[in-house]
Amino acid sequence: MPTVAGDRQTASRGAIPAARRRRRLIGERLSFQIGLILPSVLVLLLFQVVPIFIGTDASFRRWSLYDPDKTWVGLEHYRYVLSDTNFLFTVLPNTFLLIVASVGLSLALGMAVALLLHRGFAAQRLVQTVVLLPLMIGPVIASTMMRWTFNDQFGVVNAFLGWLGLGQPAWLADRWYAFGVIVFTDVWIWTPWFALLLLAGLKSLPKEPFEAAALDAAGRWRIFTHITVPMLRPVIGVCVVIRAIDCFRTFDQVWLLTGGGPARSTEVFSIYVFMEAFQNLNFARGSAAAVIGTLIIMVAGLALYALINRFMEVSR
């Protein structure tokens, strides 16, 4: 007859291989997961993290063609950028004005398009395709197209205004006209992006609050302001933060439309960094401006995210 102690020993011997198999299985899974992630991590380190460290190091040196020794100068370039009146009173205001105007208009138009597509109608698929066309066109091509469209001599816009007997402004030769063209181009490119995400958010909303509002005979505007918008606030908040951060580094539209002109009056942050680094060939000063811009957008992004979260908590 086997004893109780013998049974326990036999059970413990069977448990040890099972535990080893579990550990081996966990180890294999962990190795497989690391193998999947490792290439992406290496690419991120080589093409994102390492260049950031190199650029930050360059911002503290005299990193230019006429000084191959790369002399350490400390905060000299930072002091220059932060005391540059063009950077403080033209570049930063233009950048934040572009963010506010572009993100605000794109959000409003994207919401209108999303609500229209959410209702459903006969030619909905055709309209969806047309709405998404700007997303299918590269920003470089779109900006080039807008530059020809608003050309003051043979552009379509001035030809139409002339046909109506109205004035034909030099769109890209005046600061505010040119800035308006930049905002219009950016809004045209990014409105479909807002519409697509907001439409997905509308599709995910529960139907019960809308059915209850319909039973209470609430109007469309009241349903939109008291039900749709409050329930979409998380989606709106994420869209606004992501787009605002992306808009801060807008380069191709501004460069192709105005090049920062006329007389650097439409220059934004990315154009300023490019001019310092690759036009003036002062890589250290351009790096210092890039580091300053990174800190600014980090602080602005965190503040905007906190503001949106606070607004959502208060509105609940």
Side-chain angles (χ1 to χ4, degrees):
M1 295 291 293
T3 62
V4 176
D7 292 341
R8 289 178 179 177
Q9 289 178 356
T10 304
S12 63
R13 291 194 191 99
I16 291 174
R20 288 177 179 173
R21 284 196 299 271
R22 282 197 299 271
R23 286 197 297 268
R24 188 182 302 113
L25 182 61
I26 293 173
E28 290 176 355
R29 289 179 178 176
L30 184 60
S31 301
F32 179 70
Q33 292 170 356
I34 293 175
L36 290 177
I37 297 173
L38 189 60
S40 300
V41 173
L42 290 176
V43 171
L44 183 65
L45 288 174
L46 291 175
F47 296 100
Q48 292 288 336
V49 178
V50 173
I52 288 174
F53 279 108
I54 294 175
T56 304
D57 177 66
S59 67
F60 295 103
R61 301 178 182 274
R62 189 169 286 115
W63 200 294
S64 57
L65 295 179
Y66 58 82
D67 188 4
D69 294 333
K70 302 178 178 59
T71 308
W72 180 272
V73 294
L75 299 176
E76 177 183 325
H77 301 301
Y78 290 91
R79 285 193 293 268
Y80 174 87
V81 173
L82 293 175
S83 61
D84 186 0
T85 56
N86 183 59
F87 179 78
L88 295 176
F89 301 112
T90 301
V91 172
L92 289 183
N94 283 347
T95 303
F96 284 105
L97 180 60
L98 177 62
I99 292 173
V100 173
S102 176
V103 175
L105 291 173
S106 300
L107 175 62
L109 294 175
M111 177 67 77
V113 173
L115 289 172
L116 177 64
L117 295 176
H118 184 60
R119 291 179 61 185
F121 48 91
Q124 181 177 358
R125 294 185 181 275
L126 177 63
V127 173
Q128 280 181 331
T129 304
V130 173
V131 166
L132 293 177
L133 276 177
L135 283 179
M136 303 176 190
I137 301 174
V140 173
I141 299 174
S143 302
T144 304
M145 179 182 67
M146 289 297 177
R147 183 170 184 175
W148 287 105
T149 301
F150 286 93
N151 188 280
D152 57 344
Q153 295 181 5
F154 41 79
V156 176
V157 174
N158 273 4
F160 180 70
L161 293 176
W163 180 73
L164 293 176
L166 301 176
Q168 297 178 325
W171 293 99
L172 302 179
D174 178 83
R175 176 185 181 181
W176 295 113
Y177 280 142
F179 197 82
V181 173
I182 293 171
V183 173
F184 176 80
T185 304
D186 207 59
V187 170
W188 185 79
I189 292 173
W190 288 102
T191 293
W193 183 80
F194 276 97
L196 196 63
L197 294 182
L198 293 173
L199 179 61
L202 288 171
K203 295 287 187 184
S204 66
L205 296 182
K207 296 181 180 180
E208 290 78 7
F210 298 96
E211 294 173 352
L215 291 175
D216 291 338
R220 289 181 179 177
W221 177 251
R222 193 169 183 84
I223 291 175
F224 173 71
T225 56
H226 288 74
I227 298 178
T228 304
V229 172
M231 295 176 70
L232 271 182
R233 278 198 182 109
V235 180
I236 294 173
V238 171
C239 290
V240 168
V241 171
I242 293 175
R243 179 65 194 116
I245 294 174
D246 183 71
C247 190
F248 185 85
R249 60 185 185 86
T250 298
F251 176 81
D252 31 16
Q253 293 96 293
V254 183
W255 182 253
L256 288 170
L257 286 168
T258 66
R264 303 185 71 177
S265 59
T266 61
E267 193 171 320
V268 294
F269 171 74
S270 57
I271 301 295
Y272 181 86
V273 173
F274 177 81
M275 294 287 287
E276 290 292 339
F278 299 104
Q279 293 286 337
N280 301 333
L281 295 179
N282 196 324
F283 306 114
R285 193 174 292 168
S287 299
V291 172
I292 292 172
T294 302
L295 296 176
I296 291 173
I297 195 56
M298 283 178 60
V299 173
L302 290 173
L304 181 62
Y305 190 74
L307 182 64
I308 292 174
N309 280 343
R310 183 179 180 86
F311 180 70
M312 287 191 294
E313 290 176 0
V314 169
S315 61
R316 285 175 184 172

